Amino acid sequence: MFRSVESLKGCTVAASDGEIGSVEELYFDDEAWGIRYLVVKTGNWIDGRRVLISPYSVIRMDPGGLSVYADLTRQQVSDSPPVDTHQPVSRQHEAEYHRYYGYPAYWGGVDVWGMSSYPAFSRAALSAVSPETLAQLALYGDKLPGDGHLRSTDAVDGYHVAAADGDVGHVSGFIFDDEAWTIRYLTVDTQNWWPSGKEVLLATEWIFLIDWYQSSVSTQLTRDAIKDSPAYDSRIPLERDFETQLYAFYGKAGYWSEERASLRLKEPGGAAFAAP
């Protein structure tokens, strides 16, 4: 099912023994567009500090999206490694976080979640290979902070969208798959470039550069192509029929197609990034 990132903001996050807090923003991986963490503002029980909740721990969400349920206890969250959400989250901190919760590393694999397209894993299977997993995580123990690829959706919201032949609008939102926890589309508002413009979807795989200095997202699609692409109505749930129409308009194979599945291992890992 597709959801907007905006719909998650303010949602209650519940542990097995009570509420943890509410979703404030999301951190995504700027290489694979996987949503790696919910940034949750806790209540007074741990002084209102912000904690990271991984999709690895999410067991379900309400149909209305008002609550997120995590397979954690409040004590686990309270004792989790501290994080300064005002600074970039480093791979070093991620390694510490994953060691604490016993999660597999998502980085270094061939898919969005390491060896899988989904943030699901078997603790029994993981324990059987824990020495190798711990060795992999240990590789990042000596790295300097700031070497990760995590960015806040709040930071990218509003970025200018640059087509092959000029600006075409700005990022107005994010659409993610709530099973794969992957951002599939940016919503782009074209009205600041085209007065009678509309909101359109831009697949994240069509983005080749995010420039943090210029606050811009770049695609090799042209302005005319984006202008003529199917209009997106956020009031209507996004379905595969619309995705098929969108990909067909641009003459591209959908990420769900058999053709793409056979080429998955040969595709590049993601966009390039001009990081600060």
Side-chain angles (χ1 to χ4, degrees), residues 88-147:
V89 177
S90 69
R91 185 54 52 79
Q92 181 183 38
H93 181 88
E94 286 194 274
E96 180 184 5
Y97 177 95
H98 282 240
R99 279 195 296 267
Y100 172 78
Y101 280 113
Y103 296 146
Y106 65 81
W107 52 87
V110 298
D111 219 321
V112 177
W113 293 94
M115 298 303 293
S116 173
S117 299
Y118 301 91
F121 70 102
S122 164
R123 289 191 183 276
L126 182 62
S127 65
V129 295
S130 57
E132 290 79 2
T133 301
L134 291 176
Q136 182 184 16
L137 292 174
L139 293 175
Y140 297 94
D142 296 329
K143 287 199 172 186
L144 295 175
D147 59 352

Side-chain angles (χ1 to χ4, degrees), residues 33 73-74 102 134 157 171 201 230 242:
W33 294 94
T73 66
R74 282 160 54 103
L134 291 176
D157 195 11
V171 176
L201 294 185
F242 185 87

